Amino acid sequence: MSIRFELIIFFLIISVLPLSAVVYISYDHSKVAIRDSVMTNLLVATENTGRAIDDWMAARRDDIRIISTIAGNTEKGKLQEYLYTFENEHQGVYEEFFLLNSDGNITFSTLNRTGNAGKEQYFIEAAQGKMYISDVSLSGITGLPEIIITNPVKENDTITEILCARVSMENLYTVIESIDIGKLGEIFIVNNKGELIFHQNRSKILLEKINNNFAVKEVTYEKRGVGEYINYKGEAVLGSYYWLPLYRWGLIVEKNKNEAYTEVLSLERLMVGISIIAVFCVVILAFFLSKRLTKPIKSLKDGANGLVRGQFKTISVSSSNEIGELTEIFNQTAIELLDIRKKLETKIEIANKDLEEKNRELIDANDELKKLDSLKSDFISLVSHELKTPLSAIRTSAEFLESENINASLVDKEMLENIIMSVDRLTRMVNDILDLSKIEAGKMEYHFEQVNFHEIAKVALENIQPLAKKKNIKVSVDIPGNLSPILGDREKLIIVLNNLLSNALKFTHNEGRILLSAKDDQDNIMVRVEDNGIGMQNDKLVKIFDKFYQVDSTSRRKIGGSGLGLSISSGIIKAHGSEICVESEPGGGSTFFFRLKTFGE
Ligand code: ADP
């Protein structure tokens, strides 16, 4: 869940909950107040109406009582005239005044009616000396609801006749109908049997009976009050009921609950509206506030992502609060991190290069090892071959000497010479190997001193003389007499010249030529050994200084050699601070040359 969403929820909770509580409490209080007010108004209106009915009926009773008194003291003609006048004055209230004699016969009627009412309840009751008010009934004359009030007319306490008044209820109804019951309300009066004696809809009067109504039940129990209930039509109503004991009437005023509570409903709508607007405002406010609060956090997040990808851009500090401080710290940290990263990258790059270098060295070392391995194989085959040849020669010579038939001393001598030569050859080879291993191990000992090159050239030339004669090769020397003395190891330089001259002899055909020359060359002398022998291809010239390398293995068989001579010579000349170079071409002879430092320079 994002911080922004959480903030919105938080704002909603802290604002909407108290707001809802306040709205609900005030709504509830207002609702109760409005309800109480509606109930009270209804009850008051009902009671006022009930009292108005009482007053109206009391006025009728008073009228009848007064007229009865007047009738007892007034002559007939005047009474009749008075009754007409009274009826006219109370038009709409009294429909008829009539008088009954002791038999119930009508002796006078303002409607000029005749007849007998001797069996009527109102006659029987009044004849017993008391005022009587009938139940509401539909008038036989007008067809409208009416009551009949009767009262005895007395002369000297003797009932002479009965005064009857037919009272129209319409006049009373106008009083009742003045109660405000709204459009959907209902107002009615029932008698103690539940029969309707008043209703807005006149056609229901005395024709319908209402029993299953809370108010009707209450009122027929002679109670007064107000309540909320479901009326006989199944509608929720506020009902007020008022019992008129004198007439055994129950006045019931019902207001439709929804209509009565219109104010409550509009209050409810108002409160809901206020709540919705408040929630909406809170959401908008929370939206903008959370945006403002989370914007720098989002920038920090984007910055951190950029940092991860190595594309960090500093975040602008938009506020001076804790988040602003955090942003500044983040920027500094990011810059430092990027710096560290750059340094690390450089170090890694260097380490990689080192690794590559080491790898290359390892590859080279591996190649070297392979080379050494093949050299070792070469060496073993060469040594075994080179050792086999002189050894078999020694064996053949020895067997020959052992043979009994052999007496000739000449042959003996030749055999012995062979043995000596082979032993010498083996000795040379072993010495060569020992010298080379010393050179390579850096353990060769040198005794540098002033050396006259003539001396060493002389020794070397003497060494090759026998073979040169044998091959009839002309060996020339070109060394000036005043050649500068050199700084070198005499014995080692003799070995070098021996090797180069014996190679020149080996690889030059019979009757060939060899030239050993030396001359001053600035602070050095330049020594050259030239022959007009078989020569070498250009690509072999670098390899001939390698150990055991021989250009032609077949020639090796014929000529012999270990392939170590040039390696040893090269090592010795290097120890003298110089290098042996070679120029050659196949069939065109070879020239080996090197410089030696003159003594004292
Ligand atoms: P080796 O004992 O075979 O002479 P070296 O180390 O002295 O060993 O020489 C290596 C090889 O160089 C020889 O086997 C030969 O093939 C070649 N080589 C040396 N000197 C000459 C030369 N003067 N003319 C032609 N080839 C030569």
Side-chain angles (χ1 to χ4, degrees):
M1 196 190 280
S2 69
I3 294 177
R4 198 164 171 197
F5 189 65
E6 280 179 18
L7 278 172
I8 291 175
I9 298 286
F10 173 74
F11 281 124
L12 276 175
I13 289 171
I14 61 160
S15 57
V16 171
L17 284 185
L19 181 79
S20 308
V22 168
V23 166
Y24 180 76
I25 290 166
S26 39
Y27 164 71
D28 200 50
H29 275 71
S30 308
K31 187 177 150 186
V32 170
I34 291 171
R35 208 182 114 189
D36 287 351
S37 149
V38 169
M39 290 283 212
T40 309
N41 288 343
L42 190 63
L43 188 64
V44 168
T46 309
E47 283 179 351
N48 286 342
T49 308
R51 275 193 285 275
I53 294 170
D54 259 337
D55 290 349
W56 189 84
M57 287 297 286
R60 300 294 78 78
R61 287 203 319 270
D62 288 347
D63 285 350
I64 301 305
R65 198 175 290 120
I66 290 163
I67 295 169
S68 301
T69 310
I70 292 168
N73 301 312
T74 312
E75 62 159 320
K76 264 193 180 23
K78 277 194 177 174
L79 175 65
Q80 288 173 3
E81 203 177 317
Y82 177 74
L83 288 174
Y84 280 123
T85 313
F86 196 87
E87 191 181 304
N88 277 337
E89 281 174 359
H90 293 82
Q91 198 129 32
V93 178
Y94 297 104
E95 289 174 346
E96 182 188 15
F97 283 108
F98 59 99
L99 294 165
L100 301 173
N101 62 16
S102 56
D103 298 326
N105 288 323
I106 299 171
T107 56
F108 170 74
S109 161
T110 51
L111 294 177
N112 294 322
R113 264 189 327 119
T114 55
N116 185 282
K119 287 182 181 166
E120 298 290 345
Q121 189 68 25
Y122 58 81
F123 170 73
I124 296 165
E125 292 284 339
Q128 286 172 8
K130 48 185 180 180
M131 182 179 277
Y132 173 77
I133 301 168
S134 74
D135 283 341
V136 176
S137 61
L138 291 175
S139 167
I141 300 159
T142 61
L144 294 170
E146 63 173 19
I147 53 170
I148 295 171
I149 304 173
T150 53
N151 198 38
V153 176
K154 292 178 182 172
E155 279 179 30
N156 302 324
D157 284 341
T158 307
I159 298 170
T160 52
E161 50 188 354
I162 304 294
L163 173 67
C164 305
R166 200 184 290 273
V167 181
S168 168
M169 296 300 283
E170 279 303 315
N171 185 259
L172 176 63
Y173 289 170
T174 54
V175 174
I176 298 166
E177 281 173 341
S178 64
I179 300 179
D180 176 23
I181 51 163
K183 284 180 190 163
L184 303 170
E186 201 169 3
I187 178 164
F188 53 92
I189 298 175
V190 290
N191 60 21
N192 58 349
K193 293 172 205 148
E195 290 164 346
L196 276 176
I197 59 170
F198 166 72
H199 196 273
Q200 292 136 295
N201 183 352
R202 302 288 188 273
S203 62
K204 288 185 174 185
I205 292 173
L206 293 171
L207 294 176
E208 280 191 20
K209 203 171 173 184
I210 297 172
N211 286 324
N212 58 342
N213 185 308
F214 167 78
V216 170
K217 280 180 190 156
E218 289 288 289
V219 92
T220 48
Y221 291 145
E222 303 184 2
K223 289 184 184 172
R224 292 178 183 180
V226 68
E228 248 186 69
Y229 56 89
I230 305 296
N231 73 358
Y232 71 100
K233 289 191 281 190
E235 292 170 354
V237 292
L238 291 181
S240 169
Y241 40 94
Y242 186 89
W243 177 245
L244 294 128
L246 212 55
Y247 318 105
R248 297 169 305 284
W249 292 349
L251 169 66
I252 293 157
V253 181
E254 287 178 350
K255 267 191 165 185
N256 181 282
K257 196 176 158 187
N258 288 340
E259 201 174 35
Y261 289 158
T262 317
E263 267 187 73
V264 175
L265 286 173
S266 56
L267 180 73
E268 195 177 285
R269 276 195 284 271
L270 183 72
M271 292 299 185
V272 170
I274 288 171
S275 301
I276 289 170
I277 290 168
V279 169
F280 184 72
C281 291
V282 167
V283 169
I284 297 283
L285 197 71
F287 184 81
F288 284 109
L289 205 61
S290 62
K291 192 176 178 184
R292 192 163 170 270
L293 279 174
T294 56
K295 196 180 167 192
I297 296 173
K298 194 177 169 294
S299 301
L300 275 173
K301 189 183 123 192
D302 292 344
N305 278 333
L307 195 61
V308 170
R309 292 193 298 271
Q311 302 163 340
F312 176 74
K313 282 180 198 159
T314 44
I315 303 160
S316 62
V317 182
S318 54
S319 55
S320 56
N321 57 16
E322 286 85 345
I323 294 177
E325 286 171 24
L326 180 66
T327 309
E328 271 174 16
I329 294 168
F330 177 81
N331 279 339
Q332 283 168 10
T333 313
I335 289 164
E336 279 171 28
L337 274 176
L338 283 180
D339 194 40
I340 291 169
R341 185 187 159 135
K342 267 183 201 160
K343 282 178 185 162
L344 277 176
E345 278 174 354
T346 315
K347 279 186 181 168
I348 288 169
E349 210 174 312
I350 292 167
N352 273 341
K353 276 184 186 161
D354 277 358
L355 273 177
E356 278 172 21
E357 186 66 29
K358 291 276 182 294
N359 197 30
R360 266 199 300 277
E361 281 175 14
L362 276 175
I363 290 168
D364 289 350
N366 193 35
D367 289 348
E368 192 64 28
L369 278 175
K370 280 183 187 165
K371 217 159 123 189
L372 282 175
D373 197 47
S374 99
L375 279 176
K376 195 178 90 186
S377 309
D378 287 354
F379 173 72
I380 289 167
S381 74
L382 178 117
V383 168
S384 56
H385 177 77
E386 291 302 326
L387 288 179
K388 222 168 93 185
T389 314
L391 279 175
S392 61
I394 293 167
R395 184 181 175 83
T396 313
S397 302
E399 277 174 354
F400 193 81
L401 286 174
E402 197 187 36
S403 162
E404 289 170 10
N405 302 330
I406 307 299
N407 287 319
S409 60
L410 262 177
V411 177
D412 284 354
K413 203 172 175 226
E414 199 180 327
M415 289 302 115
L416 286 170
E417 276 173 6
N418 262 345
I419 291 169
I420 289 163
M421 263 173 61
S422 297
V423 170
D424 285 350
R425 200 169 154 189
L426 284 172
T427 307
R428 269 202 311 277
M429 182 178 252
V430 171
N431 283 337
D432 281 357
I433 292 170
L434 283 172
D435 283 348
L436 186 66
S437 65
K438 274 186 196 167
I439 288 168
E440 289 195 333
K443 288 182 180 167
M444 183 67 111
E445 289 177 7
Y446 292 93
H447 304 286
F448 288 99
E449 57 187 333
Q450 183 178 352
V451 178
N452 187 342
F453 190 72
H454 287 281
E455 290 171 23
I456 53 174
K458 191 180 165 208
V459 177
L461 286 167
E462 279 171 5
N463 286 340
I464 60 152
Q465 210 53 48
L467 188 58
K469 262 189 192 163
K470 201 174 170 185
K471 290 185 81 173
N472 202 18
I473 289 173
K474 187 184 175 193
V475 181
S476 315
V477 179
D478 179 12
I479 304 170
N482 61 349
L483 185 73
S484 302
I486 55 157
L487 177 67
D489 184 318
R490 186 189 310 271
E491 298 307 318
K492 306 293 182 308
L493 289 174
I494 289 171
I495 292 171
V496 174
L497 283 187
N498 274 345
N499 279 333
L500 294 178
L501 287 169
S502 62
N503 274 350
L505 279 175
K506 275 195 282 182
F507 301 105
T508 301
H509 302 295
N510 292 352
E511 323 296 332
R513 282 180 286 107
I514 293 173
L515 171 62
L516 169 63
S517 63
K519 59 176 180 181
D520 276 301
D521 180 17
Q522 294 176 353
D523 298 336
N524 300 288
I525 64 162
M526 170 69 88
V527 180
R528 299 172 75 90
V529 177
E530 293 172 47
D531 65 61
N532 64 346
I534 60 173
M536 288 167 283
Q537 284 174 339
N538 210 32
D539 60 320
K540 311 286 189 222
L541 298 182
V542 197
K543 297 179 185 170
I544 55 173
F545 295 97
D546 291 348
K547 290 174 286 198
F548 303 112
Y549 183 80
Q550 293 176 312
V551 174
D552 186 354
S553 58
T554 54
S555 72
R556 190 184 67 186
R557 283 180 186 280
K558 263 193 270 168
I559 299 165
S562 59
L564 296 171
L566 283 180
S567 298
I568 293 167
S569 304
S570 170
I572 291 170
I573 295 302
K574 273 182 188 160
H576 281 75
S578 187
E579 194 179 8
I580 301 178
C581 303
V582 59
E583 288 169 356
S584 182
E585 58 182 70
S590 309
T591 303
F592 289 83
F593 55 98
F594 58 90
R595 287 182 174 81
L596 288 172
K597 281 199 179 95
T598 51
F599 182 76
E601 294 304 326

